[in-house]
Amino acid sequence: MEDRLQTMRDTLQDALDDLSSTRTPSEAKTCALHRIERYLAAACILKESSEDLFNFNALQYTFECNVPLRLILWISASTSTLEALTNKGSMDRLTDRELLASKLSSQLALSLSLIQGVSLNHSPSKAFLGRKYALEASASSSRHLSACISSSIDTPSRSAAPVTPPLSSVVIDTLLCILVDAPAALRAFEDASGTQAIVKILKRAGTPREVRQVTHRQ
């Protein structure tokens, strides 16, 4: 058990460090996110391997391996970068800008999905994400992302496989995972002007119609 725990600790810490480093290439950041995803998926899907889920949750009590804490800092910085990339005057070549924005958008979608998974499987992490600081960061990121939603990065590429869900949908799903059955978190989210941020996302011309429809049903 100690060997499995140490291996998971080392892998998670290295992956989160790679993601946080400004010197890490984009492709390496994507690989880091996938390494975290594999551990979370194995812990949640392989029911016979309760040890993996126990180890993963135990590591969430450490600063260096707490996935939501490390990811939310990276997401806050990356949403500003994405907003700059989707600004038409930010780069000379449209194709270069779109390529970089598409990669970052996919990384953000994956990181938000990881936060969903951890919040649904580790109650203390869900409680942390429902606190004022984390919700203010989420609301701020949502406001930045609302400015990017209408660009082509939120529309899946016809040649891409597998298809990445619209970023607007992932943002809303993540907030739902954090706020469900959490009245205190919901009040904190409202105080952080999170509701207005979601309204802006839904009103954006580029937000897919199915995202609006699902949100209205919920």
Side-chain angles (χ1 to χ4, degrees):
M1 180 175 179
E2 289 296 327
D3 289 342
R4 291 171 69 90
L5 177 61
Q6 188 60 48
T7 299
M8 185 181 291
R9 179 195 297 272
D10 292 342
T11 301
L12 286 178
Q13 184 171 352
D14 288 345
L16 290 166
D17 285 349
D18 286 344
L19 186 67
S20 301
S21 174
T22 57
R23 297 186 177 184
T24 304
S26 178
E27 293 300 328
K29 288 181 183 288
T30 299
C31 290
L33 287 166
H34 282 303
R35 291 202 302 273
I36 301 170
E37 181 186 40
R38 282 194 293 271
Y39 268 115
L40 179 58
C44 297
I45 295 175
L46 301 178
K47 297 299 184 182
E48 67 276 9
S49 182
S50 58
E51 181 183 337
D52 285 341
L53 182 57
F54 177 84
N55 288 342
F56 188 92
N57 283 341
L59 289 173
Q60 299 315 297
Y61 292 101
T62 66
F63 173 79
E64 66 274 12
C65 293
N66 184 278
V67 174
L69 177 61
R70 300 286 302 273
L71 285 184
I72 203 167
L73 295 172
W74 177 80
I75 289 171
S76 295
S78 297
T79 48
S80 297
T81 302
L82 181 61
E83 188 176 24
L85 287 172
T86 54
N87 184 330
K88 292 183 178 180
S90 62
M91 294 181 68
D92 292 333
R93 295 182 58 192
L94 179 62
T95 53
D96 286 346
R97 189 178 69 247
E98 285 185 337
L99 179 60
L100 291 172
S102 178
K103 288 181 178 180
L104 184 54
S105 178
S106 296
Q107 291 169 354
L108 283 166
L110 180 52
S111 65
L112 289 167
S113 295
L114 290 172
I115 287 180
Q116 293 176 30
V118 176
S119 67
L120 292 174
N121 287 279
H122 187 246
S123 298
S125 288
K126 177 181 169 69
F128 162 73
L129 290 166
R131 290 177 62 85
K132 182 179 179 181
Y133 158 73
L135 286 172
E136 283 179 346
S138 298
S140 177
S141 296
S142 297
R143 282 191 287 271
H144 281 295
L145 289 172
S146 70
C148 309
I149 295 300
S150 59
S151 72
S152 60
I153 60 170
D154 202 47
T155 303
S157 171
R158 281 173 289 190
S159 60
V163 173
T164 301
L167 189 54
S168 49
S169 176
V170 183
V171 169
I172 293 171
D173 285 345
T174 303
L175 291 171
L176 287 173
C177 289
I178 296 170
L179 300 176
V180 66
D181 296 329
L186 185 57
R187 288 193 295 271
F189 185 68
E190 292 172 346
D191 291 341
S193 301
T195 305
Q196 292 91 319
I198 297 303
V199 170
K200 286 183 179 180
I201 290 179
L202 296 176
K203 286 185 175 180
R204 284 280 170 177
T207 300
R209 184 172 59 182
E210 61 269 22
V211 174
R212 296 193 183 97
Q213 290 174 338
V214 170
T215 305
H216 285 315
R217 286 200 296 269
Q218 292 169 336

